[in-house]
């Protein structure tokens, strides 16, 4: 068996080498002929009058009142789209499909970690959303009141989000992998009035007591008046005066609740993301423009045929990918989706592909980190299952390396499925740069071209066109799903995104280059943000968590290239007094960070340091730490307060490598 596996691996490597010689991959003829977009003219049409182009996309939605102005650009960067228009996101995602006779269509094939299955139809979802909207109203939640949501990947998370949208209460979803302390922080920042959580959450056969953990940190947060608790695992959940069981409240709730007509610029949600400081940024998205763009991009980028496709985005709803391409985009388009509660390797390493076969998945959207994990596990876990239903693959979260792209194309897609490598951000709301699968000749590792309606450029530090050299990625004009501000931090919003090149040009924070064909190649972050498995974490946030450990005096954190996760966290740590580092203390620090932020923020490497490289003004030079960690020749050290620190650190890194600790 080992020989057979070895031969198969060798054959696959040869196939990937063959594919690597192919410069571009055109859409298959049969795909192109039936594609939603099969004509390059869409780019010219969008450029001819880009505002009118976005107006046509908005017309695909149901509006209670049509807008007066497509774009109010009188006060950049505080742009407003479709002003004067009124609509409701929940109505667009549910009511209009049920009213059109599609209530029996499955919205989600849900699969639990232990094999439980539920098919949730559009009619089911509408009924539950109306009921939970009434529950919220009965507990004093109305338009403008923030509702926190901290749930695993279960249908109730979609119900909670859409119920908030139905009554105009902005939601603040927190990724289930974050710690309860991170939930508290986000609830405090957003002044949330209610929180929706769960008794327990399952992960790889273990159950975490979520409600009990939430209670430990939420006790004195006065803004939270009600905590709704979903009974999911049967884990013990302490219930106090402000706690309400979800199922009991739903049993008593009325089944009728009209969708509230809301201004196009009414806040839909806040989603906190890491910035270059320890304090997360509250990205604020509004209603009309956001739904316009996520519906448009979901339809075009994924070549969606809602009557026949089964779509699966493997992300978590706690990230923007889940908001835009699990919930709002697919439901606005009447799609049938798959939602899986568990990890990609539980109960076995082929579970994703088993579910693709079971549900007849036609469109699959995942992260490069997950693809690299699948490569590591071996192609045999994919080849056990019939994936002939697949017709399109997607990638999101970070730049995908060519080898992973080619493996995805060959092993998962059988060389017949176009790959849409999508670039976008929490801030952009929707996909910005991506192939259109019916017309784009793709290149492994490139997100290709800005979508119709989007203008992007790669520029130098001075704002000049960078040509085909590396530069800074910028967006040159407003787009409907753009963030409107940072919640309660308007000055930080302008400073972060619209100060480097002026108030009309959005500074992305990513380095990129354009090739001779005008294709964009996104390289990675240029600020102090680390991208671990597609999840953005600020160095300051992780450093703050490490330094809060009683034995730590100081810490500096960097992102280091990692074969599995894209980037991994390396922490340089100075201990208090005369304390010595040990393996036990490394684990202590890792678990301390997990409790403060979440497991994904745990440093992969901890390097003990007597001091850190600092300028004379006290600024830590992370650039030099990256050079040391990755074995590069050091840059200029003349500005350091103590240049000898670098020699000491280099020696420590070499010692770790020589003892096999890497």
């Amino acid at each position: 068996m080992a020989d057979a596996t070895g031969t198969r691996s060798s054959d696959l490597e040869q196939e990937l080498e063959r594919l690597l010689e192919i410069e571009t991959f055109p859409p298959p003829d049969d795909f192109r002929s039936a594609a939603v977009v099969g004509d390059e003219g869409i780019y010219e049409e969008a450029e001819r009058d880009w505002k009118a182009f976005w107006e046509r996309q908005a017309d695909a939605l149901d509006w209670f009142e049509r807008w007066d102005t497509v774009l109010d650009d009188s006060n950049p960067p505080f742009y407003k789209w479709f002003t004067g228009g009124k609509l409701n996101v929940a109505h667009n995602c549910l009511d209009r499909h049920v009213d059109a006779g599609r209530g029996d269509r499955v919205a989600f094939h849900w699969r639990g970690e232990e094999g439980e299955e539920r098919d949730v139809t559009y009619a089911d979802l509408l009924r539950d959303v109306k009921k939970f909207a009434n529950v919220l109203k009965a507990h004093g939640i109305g338009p403008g009141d923030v509702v926190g949501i901290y749930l695993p990947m279960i249908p109730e998370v979609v119900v909670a989000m859409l119920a908030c949208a139905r009554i105009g209460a902005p939601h603040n979803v927190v990724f289930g992998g974050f710690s309860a302390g991170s939930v508290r922080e986000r609830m405090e920042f957003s002044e949330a009035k209610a929180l929706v959580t769960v008794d327990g959450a399952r992960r790889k056969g273990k159950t975490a007591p979520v409600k009990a953990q939430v209670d430990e940190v939420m006790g004195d947060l006065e803004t939270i008046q009600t905590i709704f608790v979903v009974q999911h695992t049967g884990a013990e959940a302490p219930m106090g005066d402000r706690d309400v069981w979800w199922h009991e409240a739903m049993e008593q709730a009325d089944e009728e609740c009209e969708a509230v007509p809301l201004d196009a610029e009414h806040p839909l949600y806040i989603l906190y993301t890491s910035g270059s400081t320890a304090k997360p940024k509250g990205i604020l998205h509004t209603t009309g423009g956001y739904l316009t763009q996520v519906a448009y991009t979901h339809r075009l980028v994924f070549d969606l045929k809602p009557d026949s496709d089964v779509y699966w985005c493997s992300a978590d709803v706690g990230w923007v990918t889940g908001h835009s391409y699990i919930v709002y985009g697919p439901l606005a388009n009447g799609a049938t989706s798959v939602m899986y509660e568990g990890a990609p390797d539980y109960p076995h390493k082929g579970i994703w592909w088993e579910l693709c076969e079971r549900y007849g998945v036609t469109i699959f959207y995942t992260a490069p980190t997950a693809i690299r994990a699948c490569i590591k596990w071996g192609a045999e876990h994919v080849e056990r299952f019939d994936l002939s239903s697949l017709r399109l693959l997607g990638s999101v979260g970070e730049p995908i390396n060519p080898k992973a792209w080619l493996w995805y194309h060959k092993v998962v897609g059988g060389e017949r499925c176009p790959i849409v490598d999508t670039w976008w951000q929490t801030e952009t709301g929707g996909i910005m740069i991506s192939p259109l699968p019916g017309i784009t000749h793709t290149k492994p590792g490139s997100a290709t071209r800005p979508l119709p309606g989007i203008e992007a450029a790669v520029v130098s530090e001075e704002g000049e066109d960078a040509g085909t050299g590396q530069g800074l990625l910028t967006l040159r004009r407003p787009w409907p799903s753009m963030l409107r501000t940072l919640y309660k931090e308007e000055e930080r919003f302008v400073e972060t995104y619209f100060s480097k090149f002026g108030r009309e040009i959005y500074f992305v924070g990513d380095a990129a280059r354009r090739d001779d064909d005008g294709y964009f190649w996104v390289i990675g972050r240029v600020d102090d943000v680390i991208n671990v498995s597609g999840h953005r974490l600020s160095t300051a946030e992780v450093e703050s968590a490490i330094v809060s450990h009683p034995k730590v005096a100081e810490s500096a954190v960097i992102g280091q290239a990692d074969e599995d996760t894209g980037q991994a966290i390396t922490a340089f740590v100075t201990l208090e007094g005369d304390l010595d580092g040990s393996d036990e203390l490394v684990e202590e620090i890792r678990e301390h960070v997990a409790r403060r932020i979440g497991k994904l923020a745990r440093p992969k490497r901890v390097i003990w340091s007597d001091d850190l490289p600092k300028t004379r003004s006290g600024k830590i030079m992370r650039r030099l730490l990256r050079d040391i960690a990755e074995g590069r020749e050091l840059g200029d050290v003349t500005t350091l307060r103590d240049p000898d620190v670098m020699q000491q650190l280099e020696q420590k890194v070499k010692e770790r490598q020589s003892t096999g600790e890497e």
Side-chain angles (χ1 to χ4, degrees):
M1 187 64 170
D3 289 341
T5 303
T7 302
R8 193 160 65 239
S9 299
S10 175
D11 291 345
L12 179 56
E13 286 296 325
Q14 290 177 5
E15 276 294 291
L16 294 180
E17 287 294 325
R18 175 185 68 80
L19 291 171
L20 197 56
E21 296 173 4
I22 302 173
E23 292 184 3
T24 62
F25 291 76
D29 290 340
D30 57 343
F31 191 101
R32 177 194 287 268
S33 63
V36 170
V37 177
D39 184 354
E40 286 271 355
I42 189 172
Y43 289 97
E44 185 182 334
E45 174 205 341
E47 282 309 297
R48 206 163 38 238
D49 187 340
W50 57 274
K51 293 180 186 177
F53 177 81
W54 285 119
E55 188 167 31
R56 286 192 290 277
Q57 309 317 315
D59 275 329
L61 302 177
D62 268 5
W63 294 77
F64 298 128
E65 293 180 27
R66 193 172 170 80
W67 52 90
D68 304 316
T69 307
V70 177
L71 171 65
D72 177 356
D73 55 3
S74 61
N75 183 28
F78 299 98
Y79 297 103
K80 297 177 181 178
W81 283 86
F82 310 116
T83 55
K86 291 186 184 294
L87 75 166
N88 186 281
V89 167
H91 169 85
N92 274 279
C93 289
L94 300 174
D95 302 59
R96 66 174 175 150
H97 303 310
V98 174
D99 292 346
R102 295 188 290 271
D104 289 339
R105 176 177 294 174
V106 172
F108 291 101
H109 295 293
W110 179 77
R111 172 76 168 239
E113 192 182 72
E114 300 303 327
E116 312 95 321
E117 292 182 304
R118 287 163 61 185
D119 279 355
V120 182
T121 67
Y122 276 84
D124 294 336
L125 207 48
L126 177 58
R127 178 197 65 232
D128 288 350
V129 165
K130 285 180 175 181
K131 292 177 78 169
F132 193 61
N134 283 326
V135 170
L136 291 172
K137 290 196 294 184
H139 285 83
I141 305 295
D145 292 330
V146 176
V147 176
I149 300 174
Y150 184 46
L151 290 171
M153 289 292 286
I154 55 178
E156 286 80 1
V157 71
V158 181
V159 173
M161 291 168 73
L162 287 167
C164 290
R166 195 168 192 85
I167 63 172
H171 57 69
N172 177 5
V173 180
V174 182
F175 170 52
F178 277 144
S179 68
S182 292
V183 180
R184 160 129 193 169
E185 179 182 58
R186 285 153 174 77
M187 296 307 104
E188 191 169 15
F189 289 163
S190 64
E191 296 181 357
K193 196 170 177 180
L195 174 67
V196 185
T197 190
V198 69
D199 55 357
R202 301 185 299 201
R203 193 67 172 174
K204 295 189 178 184
K206 296 179 181 177
T207 299
V210 175
K211 176 58 167 59
Q213 292 170 349
V214 164
D215 282 351
E216 286 177 15
V217 298
M218 214 68 73
D220 61 344
L221 192 56
E222 293 180 359
T223 60
I224 298 283
Q225 297 175 9
T226 312
I227 298 179
F228 300 99
V229 186
V230 177
Q231 195 172 48
H232 176 53
T233 65
E236 187 175 342
M239 300 293 284
D241 292 341
R242 64 178 173 179
D243 299 333
V244 176
W245 282 113
W246 169 289
H247 63 281
E248 291 179 356
M250 291 288 276
E251 285 169 7
Q252 298 168 14
D254 196 311
E255 288 192 10
E256 288 307 316
C257 178
E258 289 297 314
V260 176
L262 298 166
D263 287 336
E265 285 296 313
H266 186 84
L268 176 63
Y269 68 83
I270 305 159
L271 187 58
Y272 281 89
T273 184
S274 290
S276 54
T277 69
K279 184 182 178 184
K281 300 176 298 189
I283 308 298
L284 179 69
H285 282 293
T286 57
T287 299
Y290 173 80
L291 193 63
T292 293
Q293 190 164 340
V294 297
Y296 151 75
T297 50
H298 182 256
R299 188 171 64 251
L300 268 65
V301 170
F302 298 106
D303 192 59
L304 183 74
K305 280 90 169 186
D307 292 339
S308 56
D309 276 321
V310 177
Y311 163 85
W312 185 7
C313 171
S314 73
D316 190 284
V317 173
W319 303 108
V320 73
T321 304
H323 284 56
S324 298
Y325 298 110
I326 293 177
V327 182
Y328 292 120
L331 292 176
N333 289 327
T336 293
S337 298
V338 170
M339 178 187 283
Y340 177 50
E341 179 189 20
D345 58 348
Y346 185 86
H348 58 83
K349 291 181 172 64
I351 184 61
W352 276 4
W353 320 116
E354 178 188 326
L355 298 183
C356 282
E357 178 185 296
R358 175 162 180 73
Y359 296 119
V361 172
T362 57
I363 303 165
F364 185 69
Y365 190 35
T366 195
T369 299
I371 298 166
R372 288 192 293 271
C374 292
I375 294 172
K376 198 172 179 180
W377 298 333
E380 61 270 22
H381 296 289
V382 184
E383 293 165 349
R384 286 168 50 201
F385 301 98
D386 178 4
L387 301 185
S388 58
S389 62
L390 287 173
R391 65 179 193 88
L392 180 71
L393 301 174
S395 167
V396 62
E398 59 185 301
I400 184 171
N401 55 302
K403 182 180 178 182
W405 193 103
L406 292 166
W407 191 92
Y408 198 27
H409 171 71
K410 169 72 181 174
V411 177
V412 179
E415 296 189 52
R416 71 181 185 282
C417 300
I419 295 176
V420 287
D421 174 5
T422 63
W423 176 86
W424 58 296
Q425 300 176 308
T426 307
E427 292 88 341
T428 70
I431 296 168
M432 304 294 281
I433 303 175
S434 169
L436 288 176
I439 56 178
T440 306
H441 290 231
T442 52
K443 299 181 182 183
S446 171
T448 70
R449 298 163 62 188
L451 290 174
I454 304 299
E455 183 182 0
V458 179
V459 301
S460 67
E461 285 282 349
E462 294 72 38
E464 301 296 323
D465 191 311
T468 55
Q470 183 173 322
L472 303 174
L473 184 59
T474 59
L475 300 171
R476 315 294 287 183
R477 65 184 179 218
W479 61 99
S481 67
M482 67 190 299
L483 80 165
R484 296 305 193 260
T485 189
L486 294 178
Y487 192 62
K488 298 186 178 179
E489 294 187 290
E490 291 195 347
E491 287 183 13
R492 188 183 181 194
F493 165 67
V494 176
E495 182 185 346
T496 303
Y497 304 108
F498 291 97
S499 62
K500 190 171 182 67
F501 301 114
R503 292 172 72 100
E504 296 183 356
I505 296 176
Y506 175 87
F507 173 51
V508 166
D510 281 343
R513 64 179 177 86
R514 282 183 78 178
D515 65 19
D516 291 333
D517 295 323
Y519 280 27
F520 285 71
W521 299 73
V522 179
I523 294 159
R525 300 296 298 174
V526 296
D527 56 14
D528 290 325
V529 172
I530 303 170
N531 194 328
V532 180
S533 300
H535 307 325
R536 282 170 52 180
L537 297 162
S538 82
T539 56
E541 190 176 12
V542 180
E543 286 165 2
S544 178
I546 293 172
V547 171
S548 69
H549 188 285
K551 295 179 182 176
V552 174
E554 194 171 34
S555 176
V557 163
I558 62 165
Q560 188 176 351
D562 185 86
E563 189 177 325
D564 296 329
T565 58
Q567 282 189 305
I569 296 172
T570 295
F572 292 81
V573 176
T574 303
L575 296 173
E576 291 279 3
D578 298 326
L579 291 172
D580 291 323
S582 65
D583 291 345
E584 292 75 17
L585 188 51
V586 168
E587 283 309 306
E588 250 187 67
I589 289 171
R590 280 168 47 81
E591 290 312 307
H592 182 73
V593 172
R595 286 193 298 274
R596 290 291 298 264
I597 302 175
K599 289 184 178 180
L600 63 132
R602 291 180 298 189
K604 185 168 184 178
R605 303 168 75 197
V606 173
I607 296 170
W608 307 116
S609 59
D610 296 329
D611 198 0
L612 297 169
K614 297 170 189 164
T615 63
R616 290 176 182 85
S617 64
K619 180 184 176 184
I620 295 171
M621 296 290 283
R622 292 184 184 82
R623 168 180 59 82
L624 296 176
L625 293 175
R626 280 191 285 270
D627 289 342
I628 286 179
E630 298 193 350
R632 290 192 295 267
E633 188 174 334
L634 294 180
D636 181 21
V637 298
T638 57
T639 59
L640 292 183
R641 188 166 61 197
D642 180 5
D644 291 342
V645 168
M646 297 307 296
Q647 289 182 316
Q648 296 165 15
L649 284 174
E650 276 188 302
Q651 187 60 36
K652 295 215 177 210
V653 171
K654 285 175 182 173
E655 285 172 4
R656 284 200 58 178
Q657 290 169 337
S658 66
T659 57
E661 292 183 55
E662 292 303 291

